[in-house]
Amino acid sequence: MTAQSTYSSSDDFFVNTADLSARRPPPRSKNPVVLFLKRPIVLISLYLAYIALIFVKWDTLKDWLVADILNRPASEIGNGLEAMWLALWVALPYFIFSIFNAAKIQLRLRIPFFRNIDFLRDIAQVVFLFVVVAGLYTLALNVMDNTQIPINWNVVSRHFPVEVSEGPDFTKEISWLKDIPIIGNRLAKADVLQPGTTTRALITGLINTLRAVILALVFSTILGVLIGIGLLSNNWLVRNVSAVYVEIFRNTPLLLQLFFIYRGVLGILPTAPKDAYKFGNFYLSGRGLNFPKVLTTDSYPYFLMGIIAGLIVGIALWRWRLRVQDETGKPANTLIWFSTAFFGLGAIGLVLAFVTGGTPFELENPTLDRFNFVGGSRWSAGYLTLVVGLTLFTAAFVADIVRAGIQSVSHGQIEAARAHGLTSNQTLRLVVLPQAMRLIVPPLTNQYLNLSKASSLAISIGFYDLFNVATIVQNQTGQAVALFVILMLTYLVISLLISLLMNIINRSLQLKTR
Amino acid sequence: MRRTFRFVLALAVLLSFVALSHVVNDRNEKSAFAQAEPTGKLAEVLARGYLNCGISAEVPGFSYLNPNDNTYSGLDVDFCRALTAAIFGEVTDTNLVFVSLSSSERFPALQANQVDVLMRNTTWTFSRDTDLKGSFGPTTFYDGQGLMVPASLGVASIDDLNGASICVQTGTTTELNITEAFNSRGFDFELIPFDDAPSSIIALEAGQCDVLTTDKSGLAGLRSGVADPSLYVILPDTLSKEPLSPMYNEGDDQWANVVDWTVYATFQAEEYGITSANIDEMLASEDSAIQRFLGVGDPFNSLIGLSNDFTVNIIRTVGNYGEIYDRNIVPIGIPREGSLNALWTSGGLIYSPAWR
């Protein structure tokens, strides 16, 4: 057999060496050090460490990695050139590694490097890495040189001089911080987490953002699903009202809707607290919703234990009933069993609490002061507007996604289900929705991401969300670059978390084929 | 042959020295005051052909875009015009670009060189001068932070405001001062931050806050813009010093001189009694101080890197400080008499360094 025949089996000019390697495995090294170094995770870690070293120590390294080689003083080297050299040093090990691999393949399998598709892919990666690093680093250097924007990351440990009138008070100590195991003591002593620092103000802003986003996510999903089903309703009125809703909210800017709610809807409510609409101890005015605050008392743990026990027993019963249904075909009635256990045990906990120490909850009612209500809980006008605005806007998109998902289920499925004698409710629940969900979840993820990012429009309606607080910091300190990097990273993490969650849900809904 | 060559060479050298000294003499004779070469920002603006001037466009009296005829007016706008006239000789349709900035956009815009100068009722503070790497020109308006409340609340001073909701413009010194003022009194309060002046006055009108706080001049301007100004009162309390000044990036001394002396020129012109109406008579004045100020005779004014008559151009375009004040600030209801903004000769703080 000639060397030619090893790769002539393929008609393609380019050869995927992985197939050939599988047929003719390379000789394995016995040396444990070599084996350890060959593991991908080790190689990647070493490479990342090398890149980190280059970036962190670049100021000193560039003298002999660039200036000495070019034989020019470092001050005379332009930004673009410096960035290209940095990118060169970053990409170089990868380049050498890929050449080394290609050479090995060429020697062992007699495949020339220009026909080795793995090598060509590696080179493309190297070029990509070079361009990205050089481009980004040129931009970074230009920001530092050509504008007069100072960059100081320590700005986050400064005292934050402005009141944040929403969310947890950032000027108070976090009492539970030192109770965290292992790192608690260190966290409690950290400069940036001391009361009144900029970091604490940003955290308060983040909590405000999350408060609004989570609530809006839940409400927009519920509303969106209802309207989405309404779009397919047989009832003319329901169908057309839903369609009008979707078209109006989907086709006008969110900012406009927020202004409309803030100034138009809340603006026509009485604003003076004494004129507020009163529903029991709930007061709705143009300044927000004041409602009783639920305080827990000493006997509250009994009630809590009852609830937890109810939850555990309820879930156990739920699973037991599902098994019974699988084995015998009797109806599961899971919800009835679950709620009996949950509410029963919860009631027992409540009774226990009353017997031992009186009521487990106390309500603190808002009372009218000269300008505002004091005591109780409060959802400010900004918060209400943001939650309602985000909900209404996103629900329109969710509705259309749900409609599309449901319509994607073939009509034959529905007819078959009806032919089996399922009610229309059962058809929807057992046949249509499980199949529709697979198509609904991916676009839904996009809407959730949009929602979380659109929450930064809160600045226009006077709500202290993360973006607003960061803007204040940026204004008072001038640290625009530092703050915007922090902001971008935070929103990125929020988005990634939502994506992760939705991907988990998506995976659990996929068809399990074997 | 060789000798002849040497002789000719020596003669040539001698002649060239004479010629050179002549050229040098010639130059010195031409101008007793050498015009400074424009460098840095000034050269950049001249080459670009227009000035980017950062304003707010939302505060009546300071910088306001009139929605009826799309023209800018106000004290800050007039100083933008004055600076343009000083640099280019006159204000045309193309050599002055107003960049409207919210209070939170202004510093990044300046730092990123999107505007050459901020004439945007910006308070001169220590941290902005140091931390933000900015520099401030002479104060064009001495202000103080005030509080505006609906008259129906019956509030007499800040001490009646425990528990109030306060509308504030974010990114300003006012949100720092109000936090300090209420915390030091131990008051509960709620801040509602807005990015611009119109949003905050609308919120006050809608009753979403009890108090609107900003500079007193800004309050007067906003109050003059509501349907019925008598419904709102500005409390007598003054919470802070707010010297409003032009701001530019630090590290360019020539540009700093240009901005500073443009402002001083309006002060000095008022002190000399030069107005946009009598400037032509004044150009014929016998007074040597006025001659020097207006660039008559020696090209003394060109030391700054501008044309010798830049002061004349400023006064022709916007008039002196008194004219600018009367045109913009008096209509919003802030009299000049007896205030810090009177000329120093009338007991105020408007004072130009010596023009010599």
Side-chain angles (χ1 to χ4, degrees):
Chain A
M1 194 158 93
T2 62
Q4 196 69 25
S5 67
T6 33
Y7 56 84
S8 61
S9 58
S10 163
D11 291 337
D12 293 334
F13 178 72
F14 296 114
V15 185
N16 194 341
T17 56
D19 302 342
L20 292 174
S21 275
R23 255 181 274 157
R24 287 175 57 183
R28 264 181 89 80
S29 168
K30 292 269 160 48
N31 189 336
V33 178
V34 173
L35 281 177
F36 176 74
L37 287 176
K38 272 190 163 179
R39 290 166 65 180
I41 182 88
V42 176
L43 271 178
I44 292 170
S45 311
L46 280 174
Y47 189 37
L48 286 180
Y50 166 80
I51 292 175
L53 181 79
I54 292 266
F55 268 99
V56 172
K57 289 282 167 200
W58 181 244
D59 271 346
T60 48
L61 285 176
K62 73 176 172 196
D63 281 343
W64 54 281
L65 284 186
V66 184
D68 284 0
I69 294 175
L70 295 176
N71 206 5
R72 260 200 284 176
S75 54
E76 280 181 22
I77 295 167
N79 286 345
L81 191 63
E82 184 184 333
M84 281 211 258
W85 274 90
L86 174 86
L88 187 75
W89 285 109
V90 166
L92 195 63
Y94 195 169
F95 184 61
I96 295 173
F97 175 77
S98 52
I99 288 186
F100 184 67
N101 268 345
K104 267 201 317 190
I105 298 281
Q106 187 157 4
L107 288 177
R108 192 162 61 80
L109 299 175
R110 303 285 166 111
I111 294 168
F113 64 91
F114 54 85
R115 293 183 63 184
N116 180 346
I117 198 141
D118 293 322
F119 175 70
L120 296 176
R121 277 181 190 145
D122 277 350
I123 291 303
Q125 299 260 30
V126 168
V127 172
F128 182 71
L129 188 69
F130 177 83
V131 170
V132 166
V133 172
L136 287 182
Y137 201 66
T138 312
L139 288 181
L141 284 174
N142 281 348
V143 166
M144 285 188 265
D145 284 4
N146 297 355
T147 68
Q148 306 203 0
I149 301 174
I151 301 178
N152 176 6
W153 298 98
N154 283 333
V155 65
V156 293
S157 57
R158 286 193 197 167
H159 170 73
F160 187 69
V162 184
E163 164 88 359
V164 177
S165 307
E166 186 106 35
D169 189 352
F170 75 100
T171 56
K172 290 212 177 81
E173 212 154 322
I174 311 174
S175 55
W176 47 264
L177 205 59
K178 57 181 181 300
D179 300 331
I180 299 174
I182 305 168
I183 51 167
N185 271 328
R186 247 195 242 163
L187 280 182
K189 283 195 193 108
D191 278 349
V192 292
L193 292 178
Q194 294 311 307
T197 61
T198 298
T199 312
R200 288 289 310 277
L202 287 170
I203 292 174
T204 296
L206 175 64
I207 291 171
N208 287 337
T209 294
L210 293 178
R211 274 170 62 206
V213 165
I214 292 173
L215 215 57
L217 277 182
V218 173
F219 286 154
S220 66
T221 310
I222 296 171
L223 187 65
V225 169
L226 289 179
I227 293 171
I229 294 171
L231 282 171
L232 298 170
S233 165
N234 293 326
N235 183 321
W236 183 89
L237 188 65
V238 172
R239 191 170 65 241
N240 283 287
V241 166
S242 303
V244 168
Y245 171 88
V246 169
E247 293 311 323
I248 287 179
F249 281 91
R250 209 172 52 164
N251 296 319
T252 49
L254 176 56
L255 187 61
L256 191 72
Q257 293 175 20
L258 289 177
F259 276 136
F260 181 77
I261 298 168
Y262 192 66
R263 298 209 179 125
V265 179
L266 289 174
I268 57 168
L269 290 176
T271 48
K274 61 178 174 359
D275 304 328
Y277 292 128
K278 188 172 184 299
F279 312 99
N281 278 317
F282 286 63
Y283 300 90
L284 181 67
S285 72
R287 292 190 184 179
L289 180 71
N290 290 73
F291 54 96
K293 189 179 194 170
V294 180
L295 300 171
T296 55
T297 63
D298 289 344
S299 61
Y300 170 71
Y302 290 102
F303 176 67
L304 187 69
M305 282 192 300
I307 293 278
I308 292 174
L311 208 60
I312 294 170
V313 175
I315 290 173
L317 284 174
W318 185 299
R319 301 179 68 152
W320 169 66
R321 287 306 302 174
L322 282 181
R323 213 170 51 239
V324 168
Q325 187 187 30
D326 277 354
E327 285 165 4
T328 64
K330 286 179 188 161
N333 293 335
T334 44
L335 212 55
I336 296 172
W337 284 83
F338 175 81
S339 39
T340 311
F342 181 72
F343 290 113
L345 283 168
I348 291 171
L350 197 63
V351 170
L352 216 59
F354 268 108
V355 171
T356 51
T359 167
F361 298 113
E362 272 173 0
L363 294 181
E364 185 194 291
N365 288 323
T367 50
L368 189 62
D369 199 34
R370 176 158 183 196
F371 295 104
N372 283 314
F373 287 96
V374 291
S377 292
R378 172 157 184 270
W379 286 355
S380 70
Y383 180 68
L384 278 178
T385 306
L386 191 63
V387 171
V388 172
L390 289 175
T391 300
L392 294 180
F393 182 71
T394 311
F397 289 89
V398 173
D400 224 26
I401 291 169
V402 169
R403 177 198 56 76
I406 291 175
Q407 281 185 330
S408 73
V409 178
S410 127
H411 201 66
Q413 298 265 341
I414 297 165
E415 282 166 358
R418 300 307 292 275
H420 275 78
L422 296 182
T423 66
S424 65
N425 186 14
Q426 281 173 325
T427 310
L428 190 69
R429 200 159 49 84
L430 299 172
V431 177
V432 178
L433 277 184
Q435 298 185 73
M437 283 306 273
R438 282 201 288 277
L439 276 138
I440 289 173
V441 168
L444 203 58
T445 311
N446 282 338
Q447 290 312 320
Y448 287 174
L449 295 179
N450 284 348
L451 188 153
S452 72
K453 286 175 291 184
S455 68
S456 57
L457 289 173
I459 194 167
S460 61
I461 46 168
F463 177 66
Y464 280 101
D465 77 325
L466 177 65
F467 187 74
N468 201 343
V469 175
T471 309
I472 295 174
V473 183
Q474 178 227 303
N475 272 307
Q476 303 296 357
T477 62
Q479 297 294 333
V481 174
L483 262 299
F484 269 87
V485 170
I486 291 173
L487 264 185
M488 283 198 287
L489 290 180
T490 314
Y491 278 104
L492 182 69
V493 168
I494 295 175
S495 293
L496 288 180
L497 283 179
I498 292 177
S499 292
L500 180 74
L501 212 67
M502 294 303 285
N503 282 345
I504 291 172
I505 293 175
N506 193 27
R507 203 165 306 148
S508 71
L509 290 171
Q510 288 307 313
L511 275 181
K512 310 249 179 339
T513 50
R514 292 186 181 84
Chain B
M1 181 67 200
R2 223 168 137 190
R3 277 195 155 188
T4 323
F5 179 70
R6 271 196 197 167
F7 176 72
V8 170
L9 193 69
L11 202 67
V13 169
L14 199 71
L15 275 176
S16 57
F17 265 111
V18 172
L20 196 69
S21 63
H22 215 76
V23 169
V24 172
N25 262 340
D26 211 35
R27 278 206 139 190
N28 278 348
E29 270 168 11
K30 250 188 189 164
S31 103
F33 300 95
Q35 177 170 3
E37 278 299 309
T39 56
K41 180 65 91 181
L42 180 57
E44 189 189 319
V45 173
L46 282 168
R48 192 198 298 141
Y50 57 89
L51 174 80
N52 286 322
C53 201
I55 57 165
S56 110
E58 287 169 347
V59 186
F62 284 83
S63 55
Y64 187 66
L65 177 61
N66 189 331
N68 297 324
D69 53 6
N70 276 336
T71 54
Y72 290 95
S73 62
L75 183 113
D76 292 336
V77 166
D78 277 352
F79 277 107
C80 287
R81 292 211 170 97
L83 187 58
T84 312
I87 296 171
F88 297 109
E90 56 175 347
V91 180
T92 65
D93 288 344
T94 52
N95 67 2
L96 173 58
V97 173
F98 291 109
V99 182
S100 163
L101 298 166
S102 75
S103 48
S104 59
E105 289 164 348
R106 56 185 161 174
F107 300 128
L110 180 66
Q111 289 165 339
N113 290 319
Q114 285 164 354
V115 292
D116 303 312
V117 62
L118 270 187
M119 298 277 189
R120 198 204 165 282
N121 44 350
T122 301
T123 307
W124 185 350
T125 71
F126 176 80
S127 64
R128 287 172 180 174
D129 213 338
T130 54
D131 207 14
L132 287 182
K133 309 272 181 228
S135 277
F136 287 88
T139 300
T140 53
F141 192 86
Y142 291 91
D143 212 337
Q145 185 178 349
L147 303 161
M148 182 157 82
V149 296
S152 57
L153 276 182
V155 170
S157 83
I158 185 173
D159 294 315
D160 299 338
L161 288 173
N162 193 359
S165 298
I166 304 159
C167 283
V168 70
Q169 284 170 49
T170 190
T172 61
T173 46
T174 59
E175 65 184 348
L176 307 177
N177 298 327
I178 195 81
T179 303
E180 243 167 49
F182 274 69
N183 279 341
S184 67
R185 286 171 173 78
F187 283 1
D188 283 331
F189 64 109
E190 181 200 18
L191 280 192
I192 308 176
F194 290 97
D195 204 26
D196 51 11
S199 299
S200 57
I201 185 72
I202 289 171
L204 181 73
E205 283 183 280
Q208 270 159 340
C209 46
D210 306 300
V211 187
L212 172 62
T213 184
T214 185
D215 299 343
K216 281 191 161 175
S217 61
L219 288 178
L222 292 171
R223 183 168 174 262
S224 71
V226 303
D228 184 1
S230 66
L231 290 177
Y232 298 95
V233 289
I234 297 173
L235 299 182
D237 307 77
T238 302
L239 302 183
S240 66
K241 297 196 282 194
E242 308 284 343
L244 307 181
S245 309
M247 186 182 180
Y248 37 81
N249 282 324
E250 71 181 19
D252 190 339
D253 289 348
Q254 191 184 36
W255 183 244
N257 282 341
V258 168
V259 177
D260 293 2
W261 287 95
T262 297
V263 177
Y264 287 138
T266 64
F267 297 175
Q268 189 65 53
E270 186 180 15
E271 198 181 324
Y272 284 150
I274 307 171
T275 65
S276 54
N278 69 5
I279 176 83
D280 289 317
E281 299 159 37
M282 284 295 181
L283 278 169
S285 168
E286 298 289 305
D287 189 333
S288 61
I290 292 180
Q291 281 183 354
R292 191 167 53 238
F293 174 67
L294 294 179
V296 179
D298 278 347
F300 168 75
N301 279 342
S302 60
L303 284 172
I304 199 170
L306 300 170
S307 72
N308 193 34
D309 59 349
F310 80 93
T311 47
V312 180
N313 296 331
I314 292 171
I315 295 157
R316 277 196 208 285
T317 311
V318 295
N320 65 31
Y321 185 79
E323 289 177 78
I324 297 172
Y325 193 102
D326 290 344
R327 186 162 59 236
N328 300 305
I329 307 297
V330 169
I332 61 168
I334 306 177
R336 192 172 175 213
E337 206 62 38
S339 77
L340 294 177
N341 296 303
L343 206 61
W344 65 283
T345 48
S346 325
L349 290 176
I350 298 299
Y351 181 99
S352 163
W355 206 283
R356 79 161 44 251

